[in-house]
Amino acid sequence: MSQLFIVGTGPGASDLVAPRAIEAINASTDLVAYGLYLDLLGGVCHGKQHHELPLGKEIERARLALDLAASGKKTALISSGDIGIYAMATLVFELLDQQIEGRESHPEWLEVDIEVVPGISAMQAGASRTGAILGHDFCTVSLSNLLTPWETIEKRIHSAGQGDFVISFYNPVSIKRDWQLNAARDILLQYRPASTPVLIGRQLSREDEAITITTLDQLDAKDVDMFTMVSVGNSESKHIVNPVNEKEWIYTPRGYKKKLSFKNEKLGEEVTV
Amino acid sequence: MSQLFIVGTGPGASDLVAPRAIEAINASTDLVAYGLYLDLLGGVCHGKQHHELPLGKEIERARLALDLAASGKKTALISSGDIGIYAMATLVFELLDQQIEGRESHPEWLEVDIEVVPGISAMQAGASRTGAILGHDFCTVSLSNLLTPWETIEKRIHSAGQGDFVISFYNPVSIKRDWQLNAARDILLQYRPASTPVLIGRQLSREDEAITITTLDQLDAKDVDMFTMVSVGNSESKHIVNPVNEKEWIYTPRGYKKKLSFKNEKLGEEVTV
């Protein structure tokens, strides 16, 4: 039977990998991934055939995963984070669609049983390390203009600014793309305060994790690399410091403050909504 | 030592619970949650003191969790999904903030060591069941206007429409709120086609899971309840049907189609970017 698992393995820490992801990898004989993701997973990948393709070879990776599965090998296509958020999953279905529409010559792909396994994405790991920046309406914007025109990305950032969404930037910089994050910052400064809290999370949940809390006006592409996620609060997000243990947190409120104030005024009387 | 774990336990299936969440619950003596979440978790909750508060009592739940932890009981505050996405995490930090600002009278809260454990959210479970609807820029909008004014929510939906984001609606309906989803639909119909694919996922990853794929113009609040998440594709999302096994998928493309077409024209020659 042709089986393809499309698996998100979380941000990196083994205790944030869903058991279903481990089951899928265990059940597979062949693993297709960018090499780093298999390194992060470690032991569960042993004894399997590894097919590692570098960055930039996403189409080839998706094709190979479908080809292997169609040939009868139980295959797992692996990305870190959630494989359905900007990663490989959508590309597999795009290839399937091309086949259904007669633009590919791989009818065997249609025989493959596909299961997508969700995972915890980098922005969720970053948010959890620093509190609850994603606590209210948020959006994700990929700053990679290799596939999406910059005009489209700009429009998205303007819309996110107008809507006052918390924004998580994926693919914030790369070797060739070093200006997009600053352009995004400058757009957002038209809509929200310079003091808006920003979370910069590098190698989240991994050994060399580094977390920085800064402000929107201080956000700079030079402080960010390919292993980093960036989340920008909305106009109400707050950066707080616990004076007792100096722990810093960012949270985005949902509007409970009005209820909390009302409760205090009523001297502990419960307010039901 | 005062310890509070703020734990997201995933959409419901045990194989989608992060091991760190289980560790946190195991390490705790006291669990605070809406009762359903503890039922879903089953055995791991045995032998603990359960503090169950109903819907509508979120402030009380957060206060209780901080009080218990501050009193020396290792406590886990639990929500399903990702507890940092619309759920309890942000409220705990809001209370902490109130204390730091002198508006509460609980200095002992500041002694509590807090760890937030992320989880897989309902929208990710829904997306994975049906392919990759979250494959490109997306946003979340809560339709609960109990805490957030409807005018603000409307503005967010308009912005999401203008920006052509995939949109996941949280809290789409409740007993008292039965019109907001249809209002949201009508706003989005100003920006994207009536045929835009929509995913309706009820009780995702749970025993009585039910998934429906429909179109934006057919989306109706009467088909949705409190256990349901709704994701609306962007203007390029596609609903496909595999003619061999009749499996249906929704994916949101990232723009690889141009690369795929180019590759075919070059008769298999690789295109590097």
Side-chain angles (χ1 to χ4, degrees), chain A residues 14-21 23 56-60 63 82 84-87 89-91 93-98 100-101 103-104 109-112 114 116-121 123-125 128 131-132 134-142 144 146-148 155-156 159-160 162-165 171 176 234 238 240-245 247 249 251-261 263-264 270-273, chain B residues 14-21 23 56-60 63 82 84-87 89-91 93-98 100-101 103-104 109-112 114 116-121 123-125 128 131-132 134-142 144 146-148 155-156 159-160 162-165 171 176 234 238 240-245 247 249 251-261 263-264 270-273:
Chain A
S14 58
D15 58 13
L16 293 180
V17 186
R20 185 62 189 152
E23 283 165 24
K57 297 295 186 185
E58 283 73 30
I59 295 176
E60 290 80 0
R63 285 182 179 281
D82 184 319
I85 295 181
Y86 295 118
T90 194
L91 186 43
F93 293 102
E94 189 154 11
L95 284 169
L96 216 66
D97 191 11
Q98 297 270 78
I100 292 167
E101 299 206 331
R103 286 202 286 273
E104 285 282 340
W109 288 352
L110 302 186
E111 310 275 351
V112 175
I114 298 175
V116 182
V117 182
I120 291 166
S121 194
M123 66 173 169
Q124 294 165 284
S128 71
L134 303 180
H136 207 352
D137 304 330
F138 67 89
C139 68
T140 66
V141 175
S142 169
S144 172
L146 298 175
L147 300 168
T148 300
K155 188 169 183 221
R156 292 224 163 111
S159 300
Q162 280 155 5
D164 201 23
F165 285 90
N171 314 123
K176 297 186 205 171
N234 72 12
K238 280 198 75 178
I240 64 176
V241 184
N242 182 336
V244 169
N245 58 18
K247 286 277 301 205
W249 307 103
Y251 74 95
T252 301
R254 290 198 64 193
Y256 283 102
K257 196 166 173 184
K258 293 190 295 291
K259 280 182 84 171
L260 291 167
S261 307
K263 186 183 200 306
N264 287 338
E270 294 218 354
V271 178
T272 50
V273 174
Chain B
S14 57
D15 58 12
L16 293 180
V17 187
R20 184 62 188 154
E23 283 164 27
K57 296 295 184 184
E58 284 73 29
I59 295 176
E60 289 79 359
R63 285 180 178 281
D82 185 321
I85 295 180
Y86 295 118
T90 193
L91 186 42
F93 293 102
E94 189 153 12
L95 283 170
L96 216 66
D97 191 11
Q98 297 270 79
I100 291 167
E101 299 207 331
R103 285 200 289 273
E104 285 281 341
W109 287 352
L110 302 185
E111 310 274 352
V112 175
I114 298 175
V116 182
V117 182
I120 291 165
S121 193
M123 66 174 168
Q124 293 166 284
S128 71
L134 302 180
H136 207 351
D137 303 329
F138 67 90
C139 68
T140 65
V141 176
S142 170
S144 171
L146 297 176
L147 300 168
T148 300
K155 188 169 184 222
R156 294 224 162 110
S159 299
Q162 280 156 5
D164 201 23
F165 285 90
N171 314 122
K176 295 184 203 172
N234 71 13
K238 281 197 75 178
I240 64 176
V241 184
N242 182 334
V244 169
N245 57 17
K247 285 278 301 209
W249 306 102
Y251 74 95
T252 300
R254 289 198 65 195
Y256 282 103
K257 198 167 174 183
K258 295 191 291 294
K259 279 181 83 172
L260 290 167
S261 306
K263 186 184 196 308
N264 286 337
E270 295 217 353
V271 177
T272 50
V273 174

Side-chain angles (χ1 to χ4, degrees), chain A residues 99-213:
Chain A
Q99 175 58 39
I100 292 167
E101 299 206 331
R103 286 202 286 273
E104 285 282 340
S105 47
H106 292 276
E108 69 279 8
W109 288 352
L110 302 186
E111 310 275 351
V112 175
D113 189 59
I114 298 175
E115 175 181 338
V116 182
V117 182
I120 291 166
S121 194
M123 66 173 169
Q124 294 165 284
S128 71
R129 285 286 196 257
T130 53
I133 194 172
L134 303 180
H136 207 352
D137 304 330
F138 67 89
C139 68
T140 66
V141 175
S142 169
L143 292 180
S144 172
N145 57 325
L146 298 175
L147 300 168
T148 300
W150 178 249
E151 295 67 34
T152 303
I153 299 175
E154 258 188 330
K155 188 169 183 221
R156 292 224 163 111
I157 301 167
H158 275 284
S159 300
Q162 280 155 5
D164 201 23
F165 285 90
V166 175
I167 305 166
S168 290
F169 288 111
Y170 280 70
N171 314 123
V173 305
S174 71
I175 296 161
K176 297 186 205 171
R177 298 184 300 100
D178 58 2
W179 55 267
Q180 290 83 348
L181 183 61
N182 292 353
R185 170 199 65 206
D186 294 341
I187 292 172
L188 288 178
L189 282 167
Q190 300 175 31
Y191 299 98
R192 57 192 72 166
S195 59
T196 300
V198 173
L199 161 63
I200 297 176
R202 189 175 189 279
Q203 294 282 46
L204 283 157
S205 86
R206 301 173 189 174
E207 259 188 62
D208 53 342
E209 176 183 277
I211 290 170
T212 307
I213 294 177

